[in-house]
Amino acid sequence: TACLSARRIFDNTPRLFCNDLGDPDSDKGRATMTSNGGWNAGIRHYFDRHWAADLGVIRSKHDTAWDGVKQHDWKMTQVNLMGQYHADATKNLRLFAGAGIGYAKLKRTGQSEDSIHPVIGAGFTWAFSREFHLTGSIVTAFPRFKDIDAVHCPGDTGRPAPTSFNLSLGKTF
């Protein structure tokens, strides 16, 4: 969480932050980041029945605000590469989980920040025919961006956890 004072990091008070860039108890104020619309595309290569590599690109839009006042419009591009393990649940349904590495770029007018970070994912693939598959998945990345609000929190790190829920139709070739 950005703007979290050092004296509060290890105290015994439980805190839950989700896409929160500010400490609600901080005297510096509270920063938030919204997640707006986006799109994604990807390709999966199976090495055998159980192991696959998944390469995906996600584009999304975000707004940052300081104490409820909109500050910036951002565009984020993520590229994720995951190794996945697929297990048969039924004859036509497979479940999978994976982990890997991601690269993200967060941009706005006059500023661009990069991050290399871990990424995880899980989901299912339902083969409703020999050629067509329906895939549902959740992918979460853990990028870290420095100085996304240098005016209010110079030197602090924004730590969003962008998560995408995907439902896609695929063709085997």
Side-chain angles (χ1 to χ4, degrees):
T1 302
C3 301
L4 184 62
S5 62
R7 64 175 167 60
R8 304 264 337 224
I9 292 175
F10 298 107
D11 69 6
N12 290 328
T13 306
R15 287 183 172 68
L16 176 63
F17 296 107
C18 180
N19 264 357
D20 187 352
L21 301 177
D23 178 0
D25 300 324
S26 171
D27 58 356
K28 294 181 181 180
R30 182 177 172 89
T32 56
M33 179 179 245
T34 64
S35 295
N36 302 315
W39 60 265
N40 67 30
I43 188 165
R44 180 176 297 147
H45 174 73
Y46 289 93
F47 297 105
D48 62 23
R49 179 122 181 102
H50 297 288
W51 292 100
D54 188 271
L55 177 65
V57 176
I58 302 171
R59 290 284 312 252
S60 55
K61 295 180 180 180
H62 307 272
D63 299 323
T64 51
W66 192 260
D67 286 331
V69 178
K70 184 177 171 181
Q71 298 293 315
H72 304 290
D73 294 317
W74 297 89
K75 291 182 181 178
M76 184 163 53
T77 302
Q78 296 178 72
V79 178
N80 301 319
L81 178 61
M82 285 190 286
Q84 297 176 329
Y85 183 78
H86 294 249
D88 295 327
T90 68
K91 180 181 174 186
N92 295 334
L93 180 67
R94 307 190 82 212
L95 305 176
F96 64 87
I101 190 164
Y103 167 79
K105 180 178 278 296
L106 186 66
K107 295 188 329 184
R108 69 174 175 87
T109 303
Q111 186 175 359
S112 178
E113 302 294 332
D114 299 301
S115 174
I116 296 175
H117 51 270
V119 61
I120 57 174
F124 70 90
T125 300
W126 175 48
F128 59 88
S129 78
R130 183 154 176 82
E131 292 185 353
F132 293 99
H133 299 182
L134 181 68
T135 299
S137 65
I138 180 173
V139 176
T140 300
F142 303 94
R144 302 294 181 250
F145 301 108
K146 293 222 179 258
D147 288 328
I148 63 170
D149 193 341
V151 173
H152 296 99
C153 296
D156 284 345
T157 302
R159 296 180 294 211
T163 301
S164 63
F165 299 89
N166 310 298
L167 190 60
S168 58
L169 182 64
K171 181 172 181 351
T172 304
F173 55 92

